Amino acid sequence: MLVFIGMFIVIIMQLANLQLFSSEYKIMADMQGTFRKVIYPDRGIVYDRKGRPILQNTTIYDLMVTPNKVRGIDTVALCQILNITEEQFNKKIVELILKNSRTRPSTFEALLSQDKMAMLNESMYKFAPAFYLQERSVRSFPFDAAANVLGYTAEVDTNFLKYHKDEGYVSGDYAGKTGIEKIYEKALMGERGIEYWKRDNKNRLTEKSENGRFDTVAVAGQNMHSYIDIELQELGEKLMQNKIGSIVAIDPKTGGILAMVSAPTYKPTLLTGSQRRKHLNELYRDPAKPLLNRAVNAAYSPGSTFKTLQALIGLHEGAITTGFSVSCHGAYYGCGRPMKCLDFGTFDLRHAITVSDNTYFANVMERVINNPKYPSVDSSTNAWRNYMNAFGLGKKLGVDVPTERNGFIPGSPYFDKLYGANRWKFCQLLSMSIGQGEVNTTPIQVANEMCYLANKGWFITPHIVDSIEGGDKFGLLAPYREKHHPIDIPDSIFEAVHDGMQGVMERGTGAGAKVPGVVVCGKTGTVENYIRGVKQPNHSFFTAFAPRDNPKIAIMCVVENSGRFGGTYAAPIVSLMIEKYLNDSITDKARLARLEQLAKTNLIPPSIAVELKRLDSLDHARDTGYLVQKGYINISRDTLGIEEDVEVKAADVEKLKQQLKQEEEKRRKDSLAKRQKIEAILPDNKKKTELKDSVPQ
């Protein structure tokens, strides 16, 4: 009797506990009948300088799964809709469990296509409660331009979550990976919201739980206004079609970047939607490196554009005056080995800039380095380097675009390591006097150098974003509100340099690129180009600002491997960009024809063109029709000795496939054996490669 009474009391107490005190089963029941829906906010919209949206949002859906609920659902039907095998399905579930645990919702397939969405909408009841559709706001690009500037977003991975563990990200979130999407992530991302929905016995959502009492509202990201002129950006990308290089245009008064072109580029829409991963893989493999933002990440000798800064230093140091003149008889002979000049005659400072005389600027730098006011060549070289650093060269400027490089301006430690302490003198620096040798700059630095010249001694760090709606809550724009006035150089010195640069456009090396009705100050540059010590076609450089009085645009252009002078390709491209920006249009028929001619000019190096074709043939090795259409079968016939009129046979295709596979394997082994360097290589590269560990990158 006591046992039964005791058992009865225990049962009564347990029932009372479950009914009155414990919330465990209530929670389980609520979880079964309630669905927690994450509401992803719209990312902030980005506008160009005229208020046109250049980065906005559209809605797409992800297929989400909670792995511990995947039982008793129609996996066969789901696999048919997603076009995967059951083996692939099971593998994906295991990967998600390892990545995000069994109980947390994970993205099974992101950015569903319209076709898959239509089929899933009809059948989702078969896959619930394990699977559900998650609405997501993704990026759209009204102008399909400025890909390297705007960047792209992608789902966060485990590494991202590890380094941002206290910032509220969870698996399935998207974050900016490149461009301003990455730099301004905090402002653009917004805040997620949560909605609680009731479910019926078939797991269909019916109504909000408690009338939305416990819901939290999603907060959209902050909108931004940029300095980008999207029409100018589109023009720059058109002019740089089938070329490798960069254009950077800046408003010198604000530091606002008006256009930042990296060529070749890609359509930003390629990295949105269900085909994003496929397109990203193709872009990674492209030997022309379209994902590389050359404006901030490529390194070049600046060539003769550097001479304007040499003039500033020479005048400010008192090493020369504007009347100082030098005669050129074909070369500079001061160091035993002649350094050629293209113009014969006697030139003062202004005329030396106009005709870009090498001998003149070799003498200028010689006087700076051997200046008796300095006790040694070491100290004068470091003083020269400090000037260049003050002008914004040899260090990161801090532009609001990721992956910016330092460039390189050498000082005495570099030459001590190269030649030994006290075992070098000016002649070891000779090539730097004309912007060659060890000097290493990025396009953004060269464009900023033009801002410094245009403003007669100051600049604001170049940046894309002008303002953020709702205020700069995170202090992201603070670095771009300060004027940098590093050295007090008199305006008269700048005026002398401006005179020479105006002469470049009126009667010098840039005379073929005048802008109608606009006084432009410019400087051409022809940059020697070496790859692993082997001479390649020269790069074409041009820098300018306009108009001379009250400058509104400072701009540079580099066209890699053009094999011609700066005035041949880079100067006319800059000329058209200046006209478009200042006049808002180009109307002259002759200049429009020149624009189209430049846009159609193909300057892609043959080595890259061959590699692109080879990769294309590998991608389509199984598609006989494609191979015939593109001429790859005929190419293989020539290689294998097959007669032209022989019908294409399966054996021929197999031979081609084997040949392509062998080439791919050889290329892979070669790439492992070599340390690849960026395509924009400085002169005297062999020497630099040997010293790569001592040269800042």
Side-chain angles (χ1 to χ4, degrees):
M1 181 67 69
L2 290 173
V3 170
F4 280 107
I5 291 172
M7 291 176 62
F8 182 76
I9 292 172
V10 169
I11 292 171
I12 293 297
M13 291 176 65
Q14 180 63 9
L15 287 173
N17 177 55
L18 293 175
Q19 293 287 335
L20 302 176
F21 305 110
S22 174
S23 60
E24 178 182 355
Y25 285 91
K26 181 179 185 301
I27 292 171
M28 291 175 66
D30 288 344
M31 288 178 63
Q32 186 66 26
T34 305
F35 174 71
R36 181 179 180 274
K37 183 179 182 181
V38 177
I39 306 300
Y40 287 98
D42 286 342
R43 288 178 72 85
I45 299 172
V46 179
Y47 299 92
D48 85 336
R49 61 185 290 270
K50 294 184 178 179
R52 296 167 291 202
I54 55 178
L55 181 57
Q56 54 188 23
N57 303 294
T58 189
T59 301
I60 203 165
Y61 290 84
D62 294 342
L63 180 63
M64 307 295 291
V65 63
T66 307
N68 68 342
K69 296 181 180 180
V70 180
R71 51 181 179 270
I73 69 168
D74 191 347
T75 56
V76 174
L78 182 59
C79 289
Q80 288 176 346
I81 292 173
L82 299 178
N83 194 26
I84 59 175
T85 65
E86 288 193 59
E87 183 182 353
Q88 290 172 319
F89 175 90
N90 293 329
K91 182 181 178 183
K92 182 69 173 178
I93 293 295
V94 172
E95 289 174 352
L96 293 177
I97 290 172
L98 293 173
K99 176 182 177 182
N100 202 31
S101 85
R102 293 175 179 273
T103 57
R104 290 182 179 179
S106 300
T107 305
F108 189 85
E109 183 167 332
L111 310 177
L112 294 166
S113 66
Q114 293 294 327
D115 292 341
K116 289 180 180 179
M117 268 297 303
M119 291 187 285
L120 283 169
N121 271 327
E122 295 178 358
S123 309
M124 278 308 296
Y125 69 93
K126 298 179 182 179
F127 317 128
F131 288 88
Y132 63 92
L133 294 173
Q134 175 71 63
E135 182 179 291
R136 183 184 296 281
S137 175
V138 296
R139 291 313 221 176
S140 63
F141 302 86
F143 292 90
D144 215 8
N148 280 297
V149 176
L150 300 175
Y152 65 89
T153 59
E155 186 178 354
V156 299
D157 56 21
T158 52
N159 283 332
F160 185 95
L161 293 173
K162 177 182 176 182
Y163 289 108
H164 299 82
K165 59 183 179 181
D166 298 325
E167 297 178 26
Y169 291 97
V170 296
S171 181
D173 284 356
Y174 277 55
K177 295 294 184 180
T178 61
I180 62 173
E181 288 274 36
K182 179 178 181 179
I183 297 296
Y184 292 95
E185 168 69 13
K186 286 184 178 180
L188 289 170
M189 66 178 289
E191 298 177 14
R192 291 185 301 274
I194 303 293
E195 292 180 352
Y196 296 92
W197 288 77
K198 292 181 179 179
R199 292 195 286 207
D200 62 15
N201 61 345
K202 290 187 178 181
N203 288 297
R204 293 174 298 194
L205 302 185
T206 56
E207 62 182 3
K208 286 190 175 182
S209 179
E210 300 288 337
N211 293 319
R213 178 183 171 189
F214 300 108
D215 294 353
T216 56
V217 178
V219 179
Q222 294 177 270
N223 297 338
M224 295 183 176
H225 296 267
S226 74
Y227 289 99
I228 293 290
D229 185 317
I230 196 61
E231 290 183 354
L232 188 68
Q233 179 76 25
E234 288 181 315
L235 174 61
E237 292 185 10
K238 179 177 181 178
L239 289 166
M240 292 298 288
Q241 288 177 150
N242 298 312
K243 301 170 187 67
I244 296 178
S246 181
I247 302 172
V248 180
I250 304 174
D251 179 348
K253 300 301 182 191
T254 64
I257 296 172
L258 306 170
M260 179 182 280
V261 177
S262 178
T265 187
Y266 61 93
K267 299 291 185 183
T269 48
L270 291 176
L271 299 185
T272 61
S274 57
Q275 297 295 305
R276 187 191 73 85
R277 191 178 297 275
K278 172 179 175 289
H279 294 147
L280 187 60
N281 183 53
E282 292 171 351
L283 292 169
Y284 269 125
R285 294 174 61 217
D286 191 329
K289 301 182 177 68
L291 290 173
L292 175 71
N293 188 350
R294 287 176 165 83
V296 295
N297 202 268
Y300 309 89
S301 291
S304 293
T305 61
F306 201 59
K307 293 173 181 175
T308 54
L309 301 183
Q310 298 281 42
L312 288 181
I313 297 172
L315 290 169
H316 190 249
E317 283 287 285
I320 63 167
T321 64
T322 55
F324 171 71
S325 62
V326 170
S327 296
C328 179
H329 303 289
Y332 171 82
Y333 296 98
C335 290
R337 63 184 192 277
M339 184 174 72
K340 292 183 180 179
C341 61
L342 299 178
D343 297 277
F344 292 78
T346 300
F347 308 104
D348 62 12
L349 176 76
R350 292 176 174 84
H351 291 98
I353 293 174
T354 296
V355 301
S356 196
D357 183 65
N358 288 345
T359 299
Y360 187 92
F361 289 98
N363 277 275
V364 171
M365 189 168 180
E366 181 180 14
R367 284 171 167 252
V368 169
I369 298 301
N370 294 333
N371 194 331
K373 68 184 277 189
Y374 294 103
S376 66
V377 172
D378 283 29
S379 57
S380 61
T381 300
N382 289 335
W384 173 86
R385 181 190 59 185
N386 292 339
Y387 272 103
M388 292 301 178
N389 290 160
F391 299 152
L393 305 183
K395 61 180 182 180
K396 292 180 182 179
L397 290 168
V399 60
D400 56 352
V401 177
T403 71
E404 182 187 3
R405 293 184 77 185
N406 287 323
F408 183 57
I409 301 294
S412 62
Y414 174 85
F415 293 107
D416 284 346
K417 188 165 186 177
L418 183 60
Y419 300 108
N422 302 316
R423 300 183 66 181
W424 54 276
K425 53 185 179 179
F426 164 71
C427 287
Q428 276 68 49
L429 317 181
L430 176 61
S431 59
M432 296 198 305
S433 66
I434 57 171
Q436 298 283 174
E438 289 79 7
V439 177
N440 182 325
T441 60
T442 63
I444 190 72
Q445 290 173 345
V446 176
N448 184 66
E449 164 197 326
M450 285 297 106
C451 292
Y452 180 83
L453 287 167
N455 293 331
K456 298 179 182 176
W458 62 269
F459 66 89
I460 296 174
T461 301
H463 55 290
I464 300 289
V465 175
D466 176 19
S467 61
I468 302 174
E469 291 183 10
D472 184 14
K473 301 175 183 177
F474 304 100
L476 300 172
L477 299 179
Y480 311 114
R481 300 294 183 247
E482 178 187 355
K483 281 186 179 181
H484 300 282
H485 198 294
I487 302 173
D488 188 16
I489 299 177
D491 284 1
S492 58
I493 289 179
F494 285 100
E495 287 293 343
V497 174
H498 290 185
D499 288 343
M501 295 176 70
Q502 183 176 337
V504 169
M505 303 302 296
E506 294 179 350
R507 57 189 178 279
T509 51
K514 295 178 182 177
V515 180
V518 180
V519 177
V520 179
C521 292
K523 187 71 192 76
T524 56
T526 305
V527 180
E528 291 184 354
N529 173 29
Y530 291 81
I531 297 180
R532 289 181 286 278
V534 179
K535 183 75 169 68
Q536 305 293 320
N538 292 333
H539 300 325
S540 177
F541 252 72
F542 188 75
T543 60
F545 63 85
R548 176 173 175 171
D549 297 326
N550 191 24
K552 297 178 180 177
I553 182 173
I555 185 169
M556 74 79 60
C557 174
V558 54
V559 181
E560 292 187 26
N561 302 287
S562 72
R564 301 301 299 274
F565 299 111
T568 307
Y569 295 114
I573 286 173
V574 166
S575 173
L576 291 164
M577 293 284 284
I578 290 174
E579 182 175 1
K580 168 65 178 172
Y581 180 70
L582 295 181
N583 298 339
D584 205 38
S585 63
I586 300 171
T587 56
D588 181 77
K589 290 183 179 179
R591 288 182 65 76
L592 287 172
R594 179 63 169 143
L595 188 159
E596 295 300 326
Q597 180 189 28
L598 284 167
K600 292 175 182 177
T601 301
N602 190 334
L603 297 173
I604 296 289
S607 59
I608 289 181
V610 169
E611 179 68 5
L612 283 169
K613 198 166 188 177
R614 191 188 65 79
L615 289 172
D616 189 39
S617 63
L618 282 171
D619 289 340
H620 297 86
R622 296 180 181 178
D623 188 347
T624 306
Y626 183 89
L627 295 171
V628 173
Q629 177 187 356
K630 291 293 186 179
Y632 298 133
I633 294 295
N634 288 339
I635 292 171
S636 70
R637 284 174 175 155
D638 295 338
T639 305
L640 302 172
I642 302 172
E643 291 295 330
E644 193 65 35
D645 58 353
V646 175
E647 183 179 354
V648 176
K649 298 178 181 179
D652 298 343
V653 178
E654 284 304 316
K655 284 183 180 179
L656 174 62
K657 291 178 183 177
Q658 292 301 319
Q659 179 185 349
L660 293 172
K661 286 181 180 178
Q662 290 170 4
E663 290 178 359
E664 177 67 14
E665 181 63 19
K666 183 177 182 299
R667 186 193 70 80
R668 188 185 68 81
K669 289 180 179 178
D670 289 345
S671 66
L672 289 174
K674 299 176 182 178
R675 179 176 179 177
Q676 294 294 333
K677 294 193 74 177
I678 195 170
E679 293 300 324
I681 303 295
L682 294 175
D684 208 8
N685 183 60
K686 183 176 180 182
K687 182 186 296 182
K688 290 188 176 183
T689 303
E690 295 169 353
L691 290 166
K692 55 183 178 292
D693 292 333
S694 64
V695 180
Q697 295 298 317

